[in-house]
Amino acid sequence: MLPFQVSKPRESLNIAYRFQKVMKRDYDLFKSHLALYFNNIDEQESEEHNKNSIAHFLKNVWYDTSYTVNSRRRTDLAISLPYGNPKPVGAFFEMKTPGNTAEMPTAEKPNCKALQQLLLYYLDLRIEDNQHQLCRLVITNAYDWYLFDSTWWETHIYQNKTLIKQYQDYKRSGHNTPYFYDSIAKPFFNALETPMPCTYFNLKDYKQALENDQPEVLVVLYKILSPAHLLKQPFANDSNSLDTGFYHELLYITGLEEQKIKGQIKIVRRKNTIPASLLEQVYAKLDSKNCLKKIEQPQNYGANKEEQLFHLSLELCLTWLNRILFIKLLDSQIKGYHKEETEKGFLHSDTLNEFADVNDLFFEVLAKPLQQRQPHIAQKFSGVPYLNSSLFERTALEAATIEIDVLQNNVELPIWQHTVLKDSNGKKLDGSKRLLPYIIAFLDAYDFSSESKSAIQQNNKNLIGASVLGLIFEKINGYKDGSHFTPGAVTSYMCRETIRRAVLQKFREKEQYSECA
């Protein structure tokens, strides 16, 4: 058998999940139970003793009552997926005692009893129990951990007709398990011509990181054993995950809602309109200023006056929200770069008292180089960079109709019944709030700094990244423009390939190298 194709834990993580922060409360819980785990492992004790220590560790940190952590068939331990009746197996473990080196694999000599047992139990679960949702297979002696992705096993084991027939003949024959290990499993692995990929780590390597509280090291271990990796479960705010709380409250503030129309979910104007919402304020201003007369071909916006005003209002709202959310991302990044200088942030009520301030931020600050800003503007928004971006140029619609500074500052919007906003005691806010402070407080209730180098989420705010915002705007805009949000993993690949080809082309032009990769 070829040696294992070994990956380190960090290399094995989903790229988006690798950069996902861990909540501090979860990190602290993990640290405390990891310390207990080290204390409970006893090399002189039985396999059952150490199995229970692993089960308690997994249950107390990651796998609560939504999951089941228990033996299944002859497996030492199995973790169920959090749905179904009965719940399907997502991962299973073959365990040895810490001192049992003879039956444990090594990267160089993988064909051992533990691997042969793993094969038998995999076939039992996959064929006898039809467990087709398996995600990971694990071999561990409490310290050494080998994690295998079920995809490889599905291709090279389950779809191997010869091996499956041998297994079925064995089940009918009445032979004991040593026969399977010696006559079927061992020869099969010896004949493998494809290296078996796995993730390997030794928990002893993390003891010093635990003693010194090194989150950049420990968080990787936390993630590798979490449901997001071990069971391939969705994780908060990945590139394809929508934060529904953020999305629906943003719709509410805007004055929109989802409705089911002819079997499809569509985003429309709220049935019970709220005058203080962003959309309704814009709608009223456009109507009172007769802005339709200033629009060329208003029929392009709808068949009647109401439709035209709605679509004009929505386009302006999305333009402004797009800018505000971009500013929030920028603001969070600036704060991340200036950790000891909190005044470097600028999207807060002290700076933005009214919508005229927002308008200044758009056009007199972000759209202008530092030397061209008026003195009082430059002082008020010190530390705000110049962005040479068309995002902060007046749109043709703004030039023809209204800008954000015409919105009323004193009208109050009732707080959404499922709001993320809480008071100082952690109780959900009720009552009402002025629109601009509401928007700022709402955005501040989330963490937009997910790209920072910190591995720990110090507060309990949900993370909102550029990919989540892309999904939200795609949902609001629909597909009318023929544009679709592209997840970060795809754009990363596209950029990498484009840059690679550009570099190779430059080498060919300069040095007449031939492409070799």
Side-chain angles (χ1 to χ4, degrees):
M1 181 178 180
L2 295 173
F4 283 149
Q5 182 181 325
V6 177
S7 297
K8 296 178 181 179
R10 184 180 296 276
E11 299 168 343
S12 303
L13 292 172
N14 173 289
I15 293 177
Y17 187 46
R18 191 187 305 168
F19 292 104
Q20 180 82 34
K21 293 182 183 179
V22 172
M23 292 290 188
K24 189 174 188 306
R25 62 171 180 266
D26 296 330
Y27 174 69
D28 290 341
L29 179 71
F30 164 68
K31 284 196 304 175
S32 64
H33 282 287
L34 181 59
L36 286 173
Y37 178 82
F38 280 126
N39 290 333
N40 290 336
I41 295 299
D42 189 338
E43 297 188 16
Q44 307 305 316
E45 277 286 357
S46 66
E47 188 177 297
E48 188 71 16
H49 170 89
N50 291 306
K51 181 183 83 170
N52 289 335
S53 296
I54 292 174
H56 291 153
F57 179 46
L58 295 171
K59 287 179 189 178
N60 290 327
V61 180
W62 299 278
Y63 301 95
D64 56 14
T65 54
S66 302
Y67 301 87
T68 301
V69 181
N70 209 332
S71 57
R72 179 74 71 96
R73 272 187 168 267
R74 286 181 291 185
T75 64
D76 290 322
L77 204 63
I79 305 176
S80 70
L81 294 169
Y83 49 78
N85 187 21
K87 295 178 179 179
V89 175
F92 74 92
F93 295 65
E94 171 56 31
M95 296 182 178
K96 300 298 178 185
T97 59
N100 187 354
T101 57
E103 296 184 352
M104 279 291 291
T106 65
E108 294 73 25
K109 295 181 179 180
N111 196 355
C112 63
K113 185 174 180 181
L115 186 64
Q116 295 155 14
Q117 290 175 304
L118 199 70
L119 174 61
L120 177 58
Y121 303 155
Y122 169 79
L123 293 173
D124 283 346
L125 289 170
R126 188 67 184 85
I127 296 174
E128 300 290 314
D129 286 0
N130 192 29
Q131 294 289 344
H132 62 276
Q133 297 188 59
L134 284 169
C135 302
R136 308 280 177 195
L137 295 73
V138 182
I139 296 175
T140 181
N141 61 2
Y143 290 127
D144 293 290
W145 290 67
Y146 293 88
L147 275 57
F148 304 93
D149 191 316
S150 64
T151 304
W152 188 93
W153 288 66
E154 186 77 11
T155 301
H156 294 86
I157 306 293
Y158 184 69
Q159 294 181 22
N160 187 311
K161 294 181 180 179
T162 301
L163 178 62
I164 297 304
K165 185 178 186 307
Q166 289 178 324
Y167 167 78
Q168 292 170 336
D169 291 344
Y170 154 74
K171 296 296 285 188
R172 289 190 292 265
S173 70
H175 286 304
N176 57 19
T177 54
Y179 172 85
F180 179 87
Y181 304 147
D182 294 335
S183 302
I184 299 175
K186 187 176 181 179
F188 170 77
F189 285 126
N190 278 335
L192 264 183
E193 297 180 354
T194 303
M196 184 185 299
C198 72
T199 302
Y200 170 77
F201 57 92
N202 188 312
L203 279 182
K204 291 180 180 179
D205 296 336
Y206 293 87
K207 273 191 173 182
Q208 186 174 355
L210 179 63
E211 292 168 0
N212 298 333
D213 190 14
Q214 298 175 276
E216 66 279 4
V217 177
L218 294 175
V219 161
V220 175
L221 180 60
Y222 173 90
K223 290 178 178 179
I224 208 72
L225 295 175
S226 70
H229 180 77
L230 207 61
L231 302 186
K232 301 181 182 179
Q233 293 296 289
F235 56 91
N237 299 339
D238 68 13
S239 294
N240 300 299
S241 175
L242 182 71
D243 189 301
T244 55
F246 181 89
Y247 168 63
H248 285 290
E249 189 158 10
L250 182 64
L251 287 185
Y252 172 81
I253 292 169
T254 307
L256 302 169
E257 66 183 1
E258 285 188 338
Q259 288 183 11
K260 194 169 185 178
I261 301 174
K262 296 181 179 178
Q264 290 186 325
I265 300 296
K266 294 190 175 182
I267 295 170
V268 298
R269 186 181 183 185
R270 286 185 64 84
K271 185 176 181 180
N272 299 317
T273 59
I274 304 173
S277 68
L278 185 60
L279 181 78
E280 295 307 321
Q281 285 205 54
V282 176
Y283 188 102
K285 289 293 182 182
L286 291 176
D287 192 18
S288 66
K289 291 178 176 290
N290 292 319
C291 288
L292 284 177
K293 293 182 178 180
K294 304 174 185 178
I295 300 295
E296 293 184 8
Q297 298 180 322
Q299 64 272 16
N300 291 340
Y301 287 90
N304 53 53
K305 178 181 177 181
E306 184 177 355
E307 285 186 11
Q308 292 164 7
L309 285 173
F310 168 72
H311 287 107
L312 284 170
S313 302
L314 182 56
E315 185 172 327
L316 286 168
C317 288
L318 292 179
T319 297
W320 300 337
L321 286 173
N322 197 8
R323 290 172 182 159
I324 290 170
L325 290 169
F326 178 85
I327 290 169
K328 182 62 179 178
L329 285 169
L330 174 67
D331 188 48
S332 296
Q333 292 302 312
I334 290 175
K335 288 178 180 177
Y337 291 134
H338 301 273
K339 293 180 180 178
E340 303 303 323
E341 304 176 58
T342 55
E343 74 276 12
K344 291 291 182 181
F346 52 88
L347 192 62
H348 49 71
S349 295
D350 292 340
T351 306
L352 304 177
N353 298 308
E354 53 190 36
F355 284 106
D357 296 324
V358 179
N359 213 50
D360 285 342
L361 183 59
F362 288 169
F363 304 126
E364 301 301 323
V365 181
L366 292 164
K368 285 191 176 182
L370 299 178
Q371 64 273 19
Q372 294 181 17
R373 296 175 187 174
Q374 298 179 33
H376 71 283
I377 294 288
Q379 182 179 2
K380 183 173 184 177
F381 292 98
S382 62
V384 181
Y386 163 60
L387 299 180
N388 186 14
S389 169
S390 59
L391 182 62
F392 296 101
E393 295 176 359
R394 283 181 176 83
T395 65
L397 183 58
E398 284 176 304
T401 58
I402 61 174
E403 296 175 9
I404 197 170
D405 59 349
V406 305
L407 299 182
Q408 297 182 61
N409 294 297
N410 296 323
V411 293
E412 296 202 344
L413 177 67
I415 293 173
W416 189 45
Q417 60 178 340
H418 304 299
T419 185
V420 70
L421 302 183
K422 294 180 173 59
D423 62 20
S424 57
N425 297 318
K427 184 180 178 183
K428 190 167 292 188
L429 281 182
D430 54 14
S432 60
K433 200 173 184 68
R434 290 192 298 120
L435 180 58
L436 182 56
Y438 191 164
I439 293 172
I440 293 172
F442 164 66
L443 296 178
D444 195 49
Y446 292 87
D447 184 357
F448 287 75
S449 59
S450 57
E451 299 299 321
S452 71
K453 295 181 180 179
S454 173
I456 303 299
Q457 177 72 11
Q458 295 297 334
N459 50 50
N460 293 325
K461 298 177 181 179
N462 283 2
L463 294 166
I464 300 292
S467 28
V468 176
L469 296 179
L471 288 170
I472 287 171
F473 274 96
E474 184 181 79
K475 284 177 72 70
I476 294 175
N477 280 309
Y479 300 95
K480 62 181 180 181
D481 299 324
S483 60
H484 303 265
F485 172 69
T486 307
V490 178
T491 54
S492 176
Y493 170 78
M494 293 167 64
C495 291
R496 185 171 62 251
E497 286 302 299
T498 302
I499 292 170
R500 184 184 74 86
R501 289 172 182 163
V503 171
L504 287 171
Q505 180 63 30
K506 289 296 182 183
F507 269 106
R508 285 198 298 268
E509 292 172 358
K510 186 73 175 175
E511 305 290 346
Q512 297 183 344
Y513 287 168
S514 60
E515 183 172 346
C516 58

